[in-house]
Amino acid sequence: MSTARKAPSPLSACDEPLAGRYDVALLDLDGVVYVGPDPVPDAPENLRKAAKEGMRIGYITNNASRPAQVVAEHLASFGLDVIADDVVTSAQAAAKLIASEFPKGSPVLVVGGEGLYAALEEYGLKAVQSSDAHPVAVVQGFHPDVNWVMLADGAHAIHEGAKWFATNLDLTIPTAAGKAPGNGTLVQAIRAAVDVDPVVAGKPEPPLLETSIERLKAKQPLMIGDRLDSDIAGAHAVGIASLWVATGVNDAHDLAQAPPNQRPTYIAPDLSALAQKQPGVTVEGAKHTCAGWTAEIVNNSVSVKGEGEPYDGLRAILSAVWAAVDAPPKPTTKAAKTAGRARRPLPKPAPAPGTITIDAALHRVGLDQ
């Protein structure tokens, strides 16, 4: 997969069910398929339906704490037909990066858990637990047992010349009790003690998705996730389509404020979208219409009229907001005066992301927070 390829436009239309358009689903796990030990409601059934339509289901995770086999067993407990080869972890992507630079058998210091040990073994690298082993690289990934001693030893090895790899930079992970610190938080702890940045394997950087596309033999992949800054940005980075679902971290307000490289091709409340078509948005002047809804910006607030499905309304709202914040500065016709002299007026800038009010519009379409 070439990273020069461009992702489809945000809020694109799809005139057939997504499971028919795309051959492989690249599913983020936390917040999309499960939260903690439990499945997202109806997610397993929606995935079984997509698989029956011929879509291959791949499970792609930035969480490096568990080996692919353990992740597969967890997913199989939900009644999903899944084997280890259907799972690709950021630990595997990181190990592949290290193996591309260092010969087999090279010592690599692990700051993390069993997911990293399994991935290094898969790629013929030697996992070590101390900087005294003179590792050629340090690989860091999330695990709840990571402690100060491991972080300090990783910093020592990096100071001694080991190349630093991180599986991902997610600051938080979703848990049943709410958000908790993720690997990015632990990476920051080592970064405070060293003078280099790590090579990052996980989303939104390309290696994990490129590894996944290669392993799953995807020709027309669809990245599915809940996080804009990792899942959707990662899809943009490798030039593939993306589906955002509302079962995890980000919400409609986050979507409205998303920069261009974090805007999804499709949006939906959950994985039932795989069996559905996706309506597009038509734009006529300031009016943005999706199915029965029309939205426009009035006095820095979204006004929406019509009726229909709530997510059709959200598509119209997002289209209006994104068009407004992306608009070039507007020329003003009224000249200002300075010390009695007329001067050329400055163009009026587009509204900044987050300054356009969408709460009333969300209420109108039935998507109150």
Side-chain angles (χ1 to χ4, degrees):
M1 174 66 62
S2 171
T3 55
R5 189 173 170 184
K6 187 177 180 181
S9 299
L11 305 177
S12 292
C14 183
D15 58 5
E16 61 181 314
L18 294 176
R21 170 73 61 87
Y22 299 95
D23 66 331
V24 177
L26 305 178
L27 283 143
D28 177 60
L29 292 178
D30 291 314
V32 176
V33 181
Y34 55 62
V35 176
D38 302 317
V40 170
D42 299 321
E45 178 61 23
N46 287 321
L47 292 175
R48 285 192 289 267
K49 288 179 180 178
K52 286 181 180 178
E53 295 301 316
M55 187 180 221
R56 181 172 184 183
I57 309 299
Y59 301 92
I60 315 303
T61 179
N62 265 6
N63 191 326
S65 63
R66 300 184 296 173
Q69 179 61 45
V70 175
V71 175
E73 291 169 359
H74 182 189
L75 294 169
S77 72
F78 305 154
L80 292 166
D81 184 10
V82 54
I83 60 174
D85 286 346
D86 297 323
V87 178
V88 187
T89 72
S90 60
Q92 291 171 313
K96 181 180 178 182
L97 285 175
I98 299 170
S100 71
E101 294 195 32
F102 300 99
K104 286 189 175 184
S106 295
V108 178
L109 177 63
V110 174
V111 180
E114 56 265 35
L116 286 170
Y117 286 94
L120 292 173
E121 181 180 2
E122 180 182 351
Y123 281 90
L125 297 162
K126 179 182 179 182
V128 299
Q129 297 180 317
S130 171
S131 58
D132 293 338
H134 305 293
V136 298
V138 172
V139 62
Q140 182 175 5
F142 176 79
H143 194 277
D145 293 338
V146 170
N147 57 34
W148 182 90
V149 172
M150 296 169 72
L151 295 171
D153 204 32
H156 296 156
I158 295 166
H159 278 302
E160 293 299 315
K163 188 164 183 177
W164 186 19
F165 295 82
T167 59
N168 67 300
L169 298 180
D170 294 7
L171 293 174
T172 63
I173 58 171
T175 71
K179 292 181 184 178
N183 193 54
T185 306
L186 301 175
V187 167
Q188 288 182 348
I190 289 184
R191 183 63 182 85
V194 300
D195 296 325
V196 296
D197 293 319
V199 176
V200 182
K203 302 166 291 182
E205 300 302 320
L208 174 56
L209 285 180
E210 291 178 335
T211 300
S212 302
I213 291 167
E214 178 185 330
R215 281 175 169 250
L216 297 168
K217 299 177 174 60
K219 294 181 174 61
Q220 192 78 351
L222 175 66
M223 179 65 217
I224 305 172
D226 64 309
R227 298 183 72 122
L228 302 176
D229 61 355
S230 60
D231 302 321
I232 307 307
H236 276 276
V238 296
I240 64 173
S242 59
L243 167 65
W244 172 85
V245 291
T247 51
V249 171
N250 289 133
D251 60 17
H253 287 86
D254 299 320
L255 280 169
Q257 298 179 42
N261 74 327
Q262 294 182 22
R263 297 172 186 171
T265 314
Y266 311 110
I267 64 169
D270 52 43
L271 293 175
S272 63
L274 293 175
Q276 299 167 357
K277 300 177 182 180
Q278 294 286 310
V281 180
T282 59
V283 181
E284 294 184 5
K287 298 182 183 297
H288 298 251
T289 300
C290 181
W293 297 101
T294 297
E296 62 180 316
I297 308 298
V298 179
N299 296 326
N300 235 37
S301 179
V302 179
S303 172
V304 62
K305 299 177 181 179
E307 60 182 10
E309 293 294 327
Y311 271 74
D312 293 340
L314 180 56
R315 292 180 184 94
I317 292 168
L318 293 175
S319 180
V321 171
W322 292 342
V325 299
D326 292 348
K330 296 180 180 178
T332 54
T333 57
K334 188 175 181 180
K337 289 186 177 181
T338 303
R341 293 183 179 181
R343 62 179 175 85
R344 181 178 298 172
L346 294 174
K348 182 181 179 181
T355 62
I356 298 176
T357 304
I358 66 170
D359 294 279
L362 292 177
H363 176 74
R364 176 70 181 81
V365 302
L367 288 175
D368 297 274
Q369 297 300 302

